[in-house]
């Protein structure tokens, strides 16, 4: 329904239609995604294996994005009707998504049930007050660093993703049909680098990997400001470098969350996967909303000239718009990434500290079992 445009309806009706459908979609996306990502600390307690586990999770996430872009190019090149293009694309992606989710459910069901049965032997009665859970989670200092790292890195991702179509068309003078190829280039590079960063992280640690990846990404973002029209090859090279940084924004913050959960368990005696991952999903949605709002404000204030759906004439954008697009896609993500680097530097949980946390948890569990 997101891709169906109701006929014979005014702008206000369209607005409320998409508000309702968009909110419903996001609601059920959260219902599915929250327990899905909260399974990470339950599938393994190994510090390095969690990074590897997240590399596989995001490899299929990015792979799904690439597949959707490829399917879009196939449908758009073979079908002329715009409405049919998007409906068929949405239906195909929906079928793939649902089958994948049920494969995940049945593939992990036994492991998760075994983990929950074992954990229930040691945990006491949990408080049902959501305010208490929230307050305790926010008092977890390492988690506050993870929140900041993820928010600012994901803001950089979302602002870049939102600006790429405008930047590619208006600044580099690519055709609109070439934009998916640029996105595939970024996502493809990120997909490959997930496994490379995961391998490196096992040897030098998550924090150092994050620094390496983000520094590469900052170089790529700054380069976009100076790129000139028709420098297509350079743009694709920069897209490849950007993908190297995007992959650590996917990988590292999510790999930190399970470690934070176990620190909380050591301090409180309870596991709160849902609360911690719920915060992460809220930040994910917040960064998306802020980036779209920011992009809209930038384009409107700079005098961007939109084009109607049935209008084929090329519109020349004013120089103020071109400069604003260059500034937005380079400066804003760079500032966000620098802040995330600063927060990562002070993130306290190391591999050695995590091993000590697990040891103390096992000792506590054995003591409880003896009692």
């Amino acid at each position: 329904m997101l891709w169906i445009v109701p006929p014979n309806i005014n702008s206000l009706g369209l607005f409320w239609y998409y508000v309702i459908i968009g909110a419903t979609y996001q609601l059920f996306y959260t219902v599915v995604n929250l327990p899905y990502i909260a399974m990470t600390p339950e599938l393994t307690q190994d510090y390095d294996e969690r990074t590897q586990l997240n590399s596989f999770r995001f490899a299929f996430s990015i792979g799904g994005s690439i597949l959707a872009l490829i399917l879009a190019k196939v449908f758009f090149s073979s079908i002329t009707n715009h409405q049919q293009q998007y409906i068929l694309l949405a239906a195909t992606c929906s079928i793939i998504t649902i089958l994948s989710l049920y494969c995940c459910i049945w593939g992990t069901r036994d492991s998760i049930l075994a983990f929950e049965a074992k954990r229930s032997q040691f945990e006491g009665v949990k408080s049902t007050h959501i305010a208490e859970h929230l307050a305790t989670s926010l008092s977890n200092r390492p988690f506050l660093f993870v929140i900041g790292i993820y928010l600012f890195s994901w803001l950089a991702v979302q602002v870049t993703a939102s600006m790429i179509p405008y930047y590619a068309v208006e600044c580099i003078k690519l055709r609109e049909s070439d934009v998916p190829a640029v996105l595939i280039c970024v996502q493809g590079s990120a997909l490959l680098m997930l496994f490379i960063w995961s391998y490196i992280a096992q040897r030098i640690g998550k924090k150092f990997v994050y620094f390496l990846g983000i520094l590469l990404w900052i170089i790529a973002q700054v380069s976009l400001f100076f790129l000139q029209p028709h420098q297509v090859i350079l743009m694709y090279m920069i897209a490849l470098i950007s993908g190297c940084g995007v992959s650590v924004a996917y990988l590292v913050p999510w790999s930190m969350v399970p470690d934070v959960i176990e620190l909380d368990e050591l301090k409180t005696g309870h596991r709160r996967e849902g609360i911690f991952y719920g915060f992460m999903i809220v930040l994910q949605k917040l960064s998306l909303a802020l980036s779209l709002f920011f992009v809209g404000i930038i384009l409107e204030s700079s005098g961007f000239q939109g084009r109607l759906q049935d209008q084929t004439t090329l519109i020349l954008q004013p120089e103020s718009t071109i400069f604003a697009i260059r500034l937005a896609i380079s400066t804003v993500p760079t500032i966000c990434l620098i802040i995330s680097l600063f927060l990562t530097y002070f993130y306290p949980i190391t591999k050695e500290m995590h091993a000590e946390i697990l040891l103390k948890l096992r000792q506590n569990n054995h003591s409880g079992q003896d009692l």
Side-chain angles (χ1 to χ4, degrees):
M1 296 181 73
L2 281 170
W3 301 104
I4 297 175
V5 182
N8 304 321
I9 186 171
N10 58 29
S11 298
L12 183 62
L14 275 176
F15 171 78
W16 284 110
Y17 171 81
Y18 283 110
V19 165
I20 294 170
I21 297 303
T24 304
Y25 171 85
Q26 291 295 335
L27 170 64
F28 286 103
Y29 173 84
T30 302
V31 170
V32 171
N33 199 42
L34 179 56
Y36 166 66
I37 61 176
M39 288 193 298
T40 303
E42 300 183 353
L43 291 175
T44 178
Q45 289 187 305
D46 184 87
Y47 184 83
D48 291 324
E49 198 171 46
R50 282 172 173 172
T51 305
Q52 189 177 15
L53 187 67
N54 274 288
S55 70
F56 276 94
R57 178 164 78 88
F58 286 114
F60 279 87
S61 175
I62 296 172
S65 301
I66 294 173
L67 177 60
L69 290 168
I70 293 173
L71 289 173
K73 289 186 72 69
V74 171
F75 284 127
F76 293 174
S77 62
S78 57
I79 301 171
T80 56
N81 185 285
H82 287 287
Q83 185 83 331
Q84 290 180 4
Q85 289 174 350
Y86 286 102
I87 291 175
L88 287 174
L89 178 61
T92 304
C93 292
S94 297
I95 292 171
I96 295 172
T97 300
I98 292 170
L99 291 177
S100 301
L101 287 170
Y102 276 100
C103 179
C104 173
I105 290 169
W106 293 111
T108 59
R109 183 172 179 270
D110 292 340
S111 298
I112 298 301
L113 289 177
F115 180 89
E116 291 293 338
K118 181 179 178 181
R119 184 175 69 180
S120 63
Q121 298 175 9
F122 306 114
E123 287 197 343
V125 178
K126 292 184 179 181
S127 169
T128 57
H129 298 291
I130 186 67
E132 182 180 339
H133 285 304
L134 292 173
T136 304
S137 302
L138 290 175
S139 67
N140 188 314
R141 185 169 172 268
F143 183 58
L144 296 180
F145 282 105
V146 174
I147 286 176
I149 294 166
Y150 183 66
L151 176 61
F152 285 103
S153 63
W154 209 243
L155 270 173
V157 170
Q158 298 294 353
V159 169
T160 303
S162 301
M163 292 302 304
I164 278 179
Y166 301 103
Y167 178 81
V169 173
E170 307 300 344
C171 298
I172 308 301
K173 306 304 179 184
L174 293 178
R175 297 172 299 178
E176 290 184 3
S177 59
D178 293 327
V179 173
V182 179
L183 296 174
I184 289 173
C185 190
V186 176
Q187 296 283 56
S189 173
L191 175 61
L192 175 63
M193 288 303 299
L194 277 173
F195 297 101
I196 297 176
W197 289 133
S198 178
Y199 176 81
I200 297 174
Q202 294 179 34
R203 282 149 180 81
I204 63 175
K206 301 172 186 177
K207 289 174 64 172
F208 194 68
V209 160
Y210 189 81
F211 270 87
L212 287 176
I214 295 302
L215 287 174
L216 285 173
W217 191 3
I218 289 174
I219 293 172
Q221 293 296 140
V222 173
S223 300
L224 290 175
F225 183 84
F226 301 100
L227 210 60
Q228 298 301 310
H230 306 297
Q231 291 183 328
V232 179
I233 295 177
L234 279 176
M235 182 179 181
Y236 280 109
M237 291 175 62
I238 292 173
L240 289 172
I241 298 172
S242 296
C244 296
V246 170
S247 60
V248 298
Y250 278 105
L251 183 63
V252 174
W254 287 104
S255 300
M256 292 174 171
V257 178
D259 307 334
V260 170
I261 291 171
E262 276 151 0
L263 177 62
D264 176 70
E265 182 184 6
L266 180 63
K267 291 181 177 180
T268 67
H270 300 302
R271 290 181 70 90
R272 283 179 263 260
E273 289 97 334
I275 295 291
F276 286 102
Y277 281 106
F279 270 113
M280 297 295 282
I281 291 180
V282 168
L283 292 175
Q284 190 180 64
K285 296 179 185 299
L286 178 63
S287 62
L288 175 60
L290 288 175
S291 64
L292 292 174
F293 176 76
F294 171 79
V295 169
I297 292 296
I298 287 292
L299 293 176
E300 184 177 359
S301 61
S302 65
F304 179 80
Q305 301 295 315
R307 191 177 69 204
L308 299 176
Q309 184 176 357
D310 56 353
Q311 184 178 345
T312 57
T313 307
L314 181 65
I315 296 178
L316 295 178
Q317 301 294 341
E319 285 299 319
S320 59
T321 298
I322 302 298
F323 179 78
I325 292 174
R326 289 183 180 277
L327 198 64
I329 201 172
S330 58
T331 305
V332 176
T334 298
I335 293 172
C336 291
L337 294 175
I338 290 173
I339 295 173
S340 76
L341 286 177
F342 178 80
L343 295 171
T344 303
Y345 179 80
F346 291 100
Y347 175 71
I349 299 180
T350 61
K351 187 174 182 178
E352 292 74 22
M353 181 179 176
H354 179 256
E356 185 178 347
I357 291 171
L358 287 182
L359 179 61
K360 291 180 179 179
L361 282 174
R362 292 191 186 100
Q363 290 172 348
N364 292 347
N365 288 338
H366 285 307
S367 299
Q369 191 174 32
D370 293 338
L371 291 174

